[in-house]
Amino acid sequence: MEHALGTWGQPALTEWPYDPEADPEGIIPDSAGTPPWHLADLTPVPLNPDAILNALVRGQVPMVMIEVRDSFYLPAGRDELDHLAAEEKFYGNHAVVVVAAATRAEQSWYLIRNSWGEDWGSNGYAWVSAGYLESTLVDAAVLESTTPDT
């Protein structure tokens, strides 16, 4: 995650919106320009939900890389990921942003924003339990600064 954001950067969503029909190995749309886009300096966060909560409390925005498994492919309108079934297939890793946290029935929950568009979860957002997050967490960092397009 740090290498990708520090080397290639991230174009604005308005310049390169999510397209579920796009070939992941396809051509970068003209609207996105050419890399490097907005480069980022990241500070690693320990790989546990409490450290991610602490970053939110400090006013930072944690970015996490999680394993994508069957349950992550939410149908539109479903906005909660609570646990993994043992037989779920692994598809790869994916970065999302943690934007909020809450406690419900004495369990911690984290609101994530996905880049897959408004048809994923509830308008692109979903609540994940601390257990789900901990079992799929691969990497975590907070954004320290960005460099505008050059």
Side-chain angles (χ1 to χ4, degrees):
M1 183 166 61
E2 186 171 357
H3 176 74
L5 288 175
T7 304
W8 288 91
Q10 175 66 46
L13 189 58
T14 55
E15 297 166 356
W16 192 349
Y18 175 71
D19 179 357
E21 304 299 319
D23 177 0
E25 303 299 322
I27 298 171
I28 297 170
D30 291 338
S31 61
T34 57
W37 295 289
H38 300 282
L39 300 178
D41 292 324
L42 300 174
T43 299
V45 172
L47 298 180
N48 65 70
D50 287 340
I52 292 165
L53 176 61
N54 290 337
L56 284 168
V57 169
R58 289 190 304 269
Q60 298 171 309
V61 179
M63 291 168 280
V64 297
M65 183 168 298
I66 58 174
E67 295 178 351
V68 174
R69 299 203 175 253
D70 292 323
S71 57
F72 193 76
Y73 290 99
L74 291 170
R78 188 171 153 231
D79 65 353
E80 194 174 280
L81 293 164
D82 190 11
H83 65 279
L84 284 174
E87 68 279 356
E88 288 193 40
K89 182 179 176 186
F90 172 71
Y91 295 96
N93 298 326
H94 180 58
V96 296
V97 178
V98 181
V99 297
T103 302
R104 186 174 50 192
E106 298 184 26
Q107 183 177 7
S108 295
W109 289 82
Y110 298 83
L111 184 62
I112 62 171
R113 180 174 188 302
N114 194 353
S115 61
W116 291 356
E118 292 184 359
D119 289 337
W120 183 87
S122 180
N123 295 317
Y125 293 84
W127 287 97
V128 297
S129 69
Y132 185 92
L133 182 61
E134 192 165 38
S135 65
T136 60
L137 193 58
V138 175
D139 198 4
V142 292
L143 181 68
E144 296 296 338
S145 64
T146 61
T147 304
D149 297 348
T150 55

